[in-house]
């Protein structure tokens, strides 16, 4: 058996993260959690799929565990800046402390449940955790042992993701 540990996926067909981010940026409600210098564990879904197929088909991978959790290094601020550029908006410069964002997510979730809202709120505790945490996992092992390299970089992947979200959500 081989274990693959993915992290935050983005790409076409994302009906949750990217559409909410685009809406928040356009409406001027987006905020950077913390100072925005934290590196994200962000992987383009197609790159993740390639890594899974590579690991599943490699005898060297049997009994191993691999992190497939980033296509390189990108900070939260850089990610927001790239999305904003794709939709023709100004960069997000408002910041909110992690603890405040987490509490806001809790309150928004609570209110959403109380009123029977079916779609997630703009901010959730999970989204705050994904974007605001200061934990960075390395994909170096799968790169070194199996030769995995992301075929799609952040510039192309973010452009594809935004384009798809604008057309389909």
């Amino acid at each position: 058996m081989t274990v693959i540990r993915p992290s935050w996926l983005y790409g076409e067909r994302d009906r949750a993260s990217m559409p909410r981010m685009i809406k928040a940026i356009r409406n001027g409600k987006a905020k950077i959690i913390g100072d925005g210098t934290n590196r994200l564990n962000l992987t383009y879904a197609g790159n993740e799929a390639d890594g899974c197929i590579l690991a599943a088909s490699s005898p060297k991978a049997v009994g191993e565990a691999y992190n497939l959790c980033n296509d390189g290094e990108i900070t939260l601020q850089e990610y927001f800046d790239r999305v904003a550029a794709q939709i023709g908006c100004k960069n997000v410069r408002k910041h909110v402390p992690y603890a405040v964002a987490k509490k806001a997510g809790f309150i928004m979730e609570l209110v959403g449940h109380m009123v029977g809202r079916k779609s997630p709120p703009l901010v959730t505790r999970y989204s705050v955790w994904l974007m605001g945490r200061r934990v960075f996992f390395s994909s170096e092992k799968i790169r070194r042992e199996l030769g995995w390299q992301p075929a799609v970089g952040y510039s192309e992947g973010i452009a594809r993701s935004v384009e798809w979200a604008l057309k389909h959500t």
Side-chain angles (χ1 to χ4, degrees):
M1 176 178 10
T2 303
V3 175
I4 297 294
R5 296 183 197 112
S7 190
W8 181 9
L9 299 179
Y10 74 101
E12 296 89 342
R13 294 176 186 75
D14 172 5
R15 295 185 186 277
S17 299
M18 189 60 73
R20 288 194 330 233
M21 185 180 297
I22 290 170
K23 183 178 178 181
I25 292 170
R26 279 188 168 160
N27 294 337
K29 294 185 178 185
K31 292 180 180 61
I32 302 296
I33 299 167
D35 64 7
T37 61
N38 58 304
R39 297 180 296 176
L40 298 179
N41 295 289
L42 186 65
T43 309
Y44 181 71
N47 293 339
E48 189 79 26
D50 290 345
C52 289
I53 292 167
L54 177 64
S57 61
S58 175
K60 289 166 53 174
V62 174
E64 297 293 331
Y66 298 101
N67 295 330
L68 265 172
C69 50
N70 64 73
D71 297 332
E73 291 191 15
I74 189 168
T75 66
L76 178 60
Q77 184 70 60
E78 290 167 340
Y79 185 52
F80 269 75
D81 289 351
R82 289 181 188 212
V83 172
Q86 286 294 314
I87 60 175
C89 290
K90 293 179 182 178
N91 289 343
V92 176
R93 292 293 175 235
K94 296 176 189 170
H95 293 256
V96 62
Y98 182 87
V100 172
K102 188 110 179 192
K103 286 176 186 168
F106 174 74
I107 292 167
M108 289 178 158
E109 288 175 33
L110 184 64
V111 170
H113 287 297
M114 288 172 51
V115 299
R117 188 173 178 179
K118 296 190 188 303
S119 61
L122 178 62
V123 177
T124 65
R125 289 172 291 171
Y126 182 65
S127 65
V128 170
W129 177 76
L130 278 176
M131 290 191 276
R133 63 186 172 165
R134 291 206 169 269
V135 176
F136 185 73
F137 302 104
S138 173
S139 296
E140 181 57 33
K141 182 178 177 184
I142 195 167
R143 292 173 195 259
R144 184 183 63 250
E145 292 182 6
L146 303 183
W148 176 79
Q149 291 295 323
V152 177
Y154 288 123
S155 294
E156 181 181 355
I158 291 168
R160 287 182 184 183
S161 300
V162 169
E163 182 180 335
W164 190 90
L166 292 174
K167 287 182 183 175
H168 295 94
T169 58

